[in-house]
Amino acid sequence: MSAFKAANPDAVFEDFIRWHSPGDWENDGSEANDEWPPRGKLSQRMSGPGNSWRKIWNDAPSLPSYEQKPLLDPNREGEKILHYLETVRPHQLLEQMVCTAFRASADTLHQTNFGSLKQMTTKMDQLYHTMASTLRPLQANLLSGNSEKIEDLKRLCVALEHVEKLLTLAASLRHKFIQAPRVYEAIFSDYYDFYLPNMGKGSADVDIQKEFDLKLQLRMNERQVVSNMFTPPTANQSWRKVLSMGNLLNGHEPILRQIVFSKRDSGSDCHYAVSTRGGPHMDDQQEIETYRMYVCGTSNDLR
C-alpha cells in the first residue's frame, strides 16, 4: 500500500482495491469502460464497518519500497537458523529429514504425466492423506521408541512403492498410446483391477507375472497406433542367423533361393492317395509334378 501510494499520489482506497484485488470491486453493469472514475462499489467484505484493509490504508505512509524498513533482517534470520541447527537434537533432525524425504518423493511422482487416469488420481490423493496422518506425530516431535509408529512408516514405504509401480506403468502406456487414449485406459484398468488386491502386501509377496486376455475392439483411428508398435525388423535383424532358413555362405543369407514344390501320385490327383507304381523299373518322374520358384529376399520375406 505504501508503494502504491508513492506511485499514485492522488489514489484513493478504491483505486488500490481495483488494482490489488479486482474481485472485491463490483461494477454497476455499465458498458462504458473509459469513464473515470469507474462506476461501481466495493464488495461487502471491503466496505463493512471497521474494515482492517481501509484502516491499514489510512495508516500506511507514502513510501517507495526501497525506502521502507525491511520486514526481516537477513543477518539475524540467518543467525537464528545456524543456532537452531547447532542445538537441534539428533532425533528431531532425523524426523524432519524423514518427513521431507517422503514429501519430496511423492511430489516427484506427482509431476509424472499419466494422462486422465482416474485410478491414479485417486491413488495419489490417498497417498498424500496417508502421508499426512502417518507423519503428523513426527512433525509434532511426538515420536519416541514406539514400535507402532515404526510399523506405520514401513507401511507407508510399501504404499509409496506400489503407487510408484502403478505410476510407471501408467506413464509408459500413455507414452505408447498417446494418440489412442481409450486403449491405454482400458489396458491400465485391466491391470489395475488385478493389482489392487495386492497393494497391502510387500513387494516380495506380490506376484506380478500374469497373462491377460483382454480383448479390445479397435477403432479405425486406433489401428495405426497399435500397428506402429510392431515395427518391422531392420536389415541387420533380418539377416541374423536365428532367422536363417537356408544354408549360410560365409555367415550371410544366400541372394537367391530355389523353392521346389512337388505333388506325388499324380494319377489319383491326391497327395494322400495310395501309390500305383508297378515296380522298381517304372519311371518316377511320371508320378511327380514339380514346380520351381526363385525367391530373392531375406528369410523374413520368405516366411
Side-chain angles (χ1 to χ4, degrees):
M1 288 182 177
S2 295
F4 186 87
K5 280 186 173 182
N8 305 274
D10 299 328
V12 295
F13 178 64
E14 286 76 6
D15 298 330
F16 174 77
I17 292 300
R18 281 194 298 269
W19 170 76
H20 180 74
S21 182
D24 286 308
W25 178 259
E26 300 174 359
N27 293 319
D28 61 355
S30 175
E31 297 182 357
N33 297 325
D34 55 350
E35 294 184 3
W36 192 262
R39 295 183 180 181
K41 63 178 181 178
L42 294 173
S43 66
Q44 185 177 0
R45 185 172 77 101
M46 290 296 177
S47 59
N51 182 267
S52 58
W53 285 63
R54 185 179 290 276
K55 183 178 184 302
I56 298 175
W57 171 266
N58 295 332
D59 297 338
S62 177
L63 288 175
S65 57
Y66 61 87
E67 294 184 5
Q68 298 176 24
K69 180 182 178 181
L71 298 177
L72 297 174
D73 183 352
N75 294 329
R76 183 176 180 182
E77 296 301 320
E79 291 175 355
K80 287 182 179 179
I81 295 173
L82 294 177
H83 176 72
Y84 173 79
L85 293 177
E86 291 173 349
T87 58
V88 64
R89 302 183 66 180
H91 75 277
Q92 295 176 343
L93 180 60
L94 179 60
E95 292 166 0
Q96 296 180 24
M97 292 172 63
V98 170
C99 294
T100 304
F102 272 109
R103 183 55 188 259
S105 301
D107 289 346
T108 300
L109 294 180
H110 192 266
Q111 294 175 8
T112 304
N113 194 342
F114 51 81
S116 57
L117 295 175
K118 296 181 180 179
Q119 301 98 322
M120 283 309 310
T121 302
T122 302
K123 278 300 171 187
M124 287 302 303
D125 292 340
Q126 292 176 353
L127 178 62
Y128 278 108
H129 288 303
T130 304
M131 287 174 50
S133 60
T134 304
L135 301 178
R136 188 172 293 112
L138 277 73
Q139 295 171 340
N141 293 329
L142 299 178
L143 184 63
S144 59
N146 192 339
S147 59
E148 182 179 353
K149 298 298 181 182
I150 301 300
E151 291 301 321
D152 289 343
L153 288 176
K154 291 182 179 179
R155 284 191 288 268
L156 179 58
C157 290
V158 172
L160 189 66
E161 181 181 7
H162 286 309
V163 172
E164 182 180 10
K165 288 183 178 180
L166 286 175
L167 191 62
T168 302
L169 175 64
S172 176
L173 289 174
R174 180 186 177 277
H175 178 73
K176 293 179 174 64
F177 297 100
I178 192 170
Q179 300 298 331
R182 188 181 71 94
V183 176
Y184 82 76
E185 289 177 2
I187 297 175
F188 181 81
S189 297
D190 193 32
Y191 182 81
Y192 181 84
D193 294 338
F194 155 74
Y195 194 82
L196 186 61
N198 299 314
M199 291 197 67
K201 305 176 184 178
S203 58
D205 302 327
V206 178
D207 182 15
I208 60 176
Q209 300 298 328
K210 181 182 183 300
E211 293 185 3
F212 295 88
D213 55 358
L214 173 66
K215 295 182 180 180
L216 182 65
Q217 185 173 1
L218 298 179
R219 299 169 182 171
M220 291 301 298
N221 62 320
E222 298 170 342
R223 294 183 179 181
Q224 188 62 36
V225 176
V226 176
S227 63
N228 290 340
M229 295 185 60
F230 302 92
T231 56
T234 62
N236 291 334
Q237 292 173 331
S238 299
W239 289 92
R240 287 187 309 174
K241 186 176 181 179
V242 294
L243 295 177
S244 174
M245 296 182 65
N247 296 327
L248 300 181
L249 179 62
N250 296 328
H252 296 283
E253 296 266 356
I255 298 178
L256 289 176
R257 283 189 177 83
Q258 174 182 283
I259 312 298
V260 180
F261 297 93
S262 301
K263 184 173 73 170
R264 297 182 179 275
D265 201 353
S266 60
S268 62
D269 197 26
C270 178
H271 176 75
Y272 298 101
V274 179
S275 175
T276 57
R277 285 183 295 179
H281 300 292
M282 181 170 285
D283 188 359
D284 291 343
Q285 296 298 326
Q286 296 178 358
E287 298 183 3
I288 299 178
E289 295 183 14
T290 300
Y291 302 90
R292 298 178 183 272
M293 178 189 301
Y294 294 90
V295 178
C296 177
T298 66
S299 57
N300 198 49
D301 300 327
L302 176 62
R303 184 170 55 188

